[in-house]
């Protein structure tokens, strides 16, 4: 098949899988097939709709149980979860935090909210997560330890405090070598697990490998609370402080409003938590359906020359949050032709995020060479991935 025919062939496969479209087939839609209405109605009937209530406590317990973490703290969105996680990990103004350049902007924004500096690193072409091997070579060149044993950037003089790996499209990155790197360089590991609820690395749930992990339950995630997020940790003191900071740092009292530090109004409302509890009840089915959708994509695209479908890494189990086609030869013109023709045909597709180092607010941030990031920007196309597609 001629590469010039690739956009038409992709459209033909999508039409064969899902039919010709009169309207747009969304990239990802939520599925409501359980107790969502009953639980939300209970909140309304009992008037517990805001920042406290039994569903918040239940959702936190069930998130902890689901991930295997000792504690979970529900918050208003995944960005808030990342922000507070970084603060609790000790990130301070002027620190540098290593993050992938190829990520959603929330990762970099959360670093900036701390007054810290995102320091961009490259990714693996296999997992689209951080490449620990490339990072090791880079850190060997730029890091020195000060008199107190703190790792510092030789060029900027700033302390390098933390690493934030992100599990792209729900596929776990290779965590073992990254954790070894963190030990060697005394770096705090805070996982951006926003996309990976239900995904495991060597049998262990993502988000539980560092001191803290952050999840998102936005409307396009594998489960949704409308808007919402969660911090998970195995550290009782960190969990207690996370709850305190995200509830405006208010000291418990029957009637007095006393706050002992600057806190954040990051509380998840009971109404949202009720939706989340119902969604969690069907998470296993959601993962099974999304994996089945991914298998259908593999069947249809595995023999197509010129591209590959992203699949779960070895020793991992992915939730397949978003399916991704990856061009063998990165080509922004071809990528854009595919995007235009698929969207014109009624199939919502999108490119991967614009890398963070190319955004105006981060263009002067420190970074290592980013050859794989730049290639993947020109090669990745997300295709419709809703759980409900299993019924098409």
């Amino acid at each position: 098949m001629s590469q010039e025919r690739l956009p038409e062939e992709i459209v033909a496969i999508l039409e064969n899988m899902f039919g010709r479209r009169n309207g747009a087939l969304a990239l990802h839609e939520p599925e409501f097939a359980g107790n969502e209405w009953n639980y939300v109605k209970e909140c309304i009937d009992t008037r517990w709709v805001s920042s406290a209530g039994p569903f918040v406590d239940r959702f936190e317990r069930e998130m902890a149980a689901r991930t295997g973490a000792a504690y979970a703290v529900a918050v208003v969105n995944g960005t808030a979860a990342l922000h507070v996680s970084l603060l609790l990990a000790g990130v301070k103004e002027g620190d540098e935090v290593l993050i992938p350049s190829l990520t959603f902007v929330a990762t970099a924004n959360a670093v900036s909210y701390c007054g810290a500096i995102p320091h961009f690193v490259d990714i693996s072409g296999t997992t689209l997560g951080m490449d620990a091997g490339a990072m090791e070579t880079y850190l060997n060149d730029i890091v020195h330890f000060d008199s107190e044993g703190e790792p510092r950037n030789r060029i900027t003089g700033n302390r390098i405090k933390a690493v934030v790996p992100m599990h792209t499209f729900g596929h776990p990155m290779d965590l073992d070598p990254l954790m070894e790197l963190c030990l060697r360089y005394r770096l705090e590991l805070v996982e951006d697990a926003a996309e990976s609820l239900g995904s495991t690395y060597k049998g262990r749930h993502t988000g539980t490998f560092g001191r803290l992990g952050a999840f998102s339950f936005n409307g396009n995630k594998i489960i949704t609370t409308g808007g919402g997020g969660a911090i998970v940790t195995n550290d009782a003191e960190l969990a207690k402080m996370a709850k305190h900071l995200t509830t405006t740092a208010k000291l418990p009292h029957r009637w007095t409003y006393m706050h002992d530090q600057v806190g954040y109004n990051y509380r998840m409302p009971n109404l949202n938590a009720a939706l989340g509890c119902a969604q969690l009840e069907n998470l296993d089915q959601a993962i099974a359906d999304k994996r089945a959708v991914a298998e259908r994509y593999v069947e249809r695209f595995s023999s197509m020359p010129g591209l590959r479908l992203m699949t779960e890494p070895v020793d991992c189990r992915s939730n397949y949050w978003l399916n991704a086609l990856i061009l063998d030869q990165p080509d922004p013109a071809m990528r854009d032709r595919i995007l235009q023709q698929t969207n014109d045909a009624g199939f919502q597709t999108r490119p991967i995020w614009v890398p963070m180092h190319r955004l105006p607010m981060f263009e002067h941030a420190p970074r290592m060479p980013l050859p794989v990031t730049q290639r993947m920007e020109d090669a990745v196309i997300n295709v419709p991935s809703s759980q409900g597609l299993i019924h098409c």
Side-chain angles (χ1 to χ4, degrees), residues 235-256:
D235 187 310
E237 287 302 313
L238 288 179
K240 182 179 179 181
M241 185 55 68
K243 193 71 170 179
H244 186 58
L245 283 179
T246 58
T247 54
T248 68
K250 181 182 179 297
L251 297 174
H253 194 278
R254 290 174 60 195
W255 56 80
T256 299

Side-chain angles (χ1 to χ4, degrees), residues 122-135 163 165-168 170-182 189 191 200-202 206 209 310 312-316:
D122 208 9
I123 59 168
S124 157
T126 302
T127 68
L128 302 189
M130 285 179 166
D131 184 335
M135 285 174 61
V163 175
M166 196 272 289
H167 304 293
T168 308
H171 298 287
M173 67 150 292
D174 191 6
L175 285 161
D176 281 348
L178 183 66
M179 290 189 292
E180 292 176 8
L181 210 59
C182 289
L189 179 63
E191 279 181 82
T200 58
Y201 174 82
K202 297 186 177 179
T206 56
F209 289 83
M310 187 175 179
E312 64 191 3
V314 176
D315 293 330
C316 296

Side-chain angles (χ1 to χ4, degrees), residues 19 28-29 31 40 50 53 67 85 162 258 283 292 304 318 328 344:
H28 198 286
E29 291 183 330
E31 187 83 3
V40 169
S50 195
T67 60
S85 293
M258 175 61 73
L283 178 58
M304 176 175 282
S318 175
D328 292 341
D344 286 350

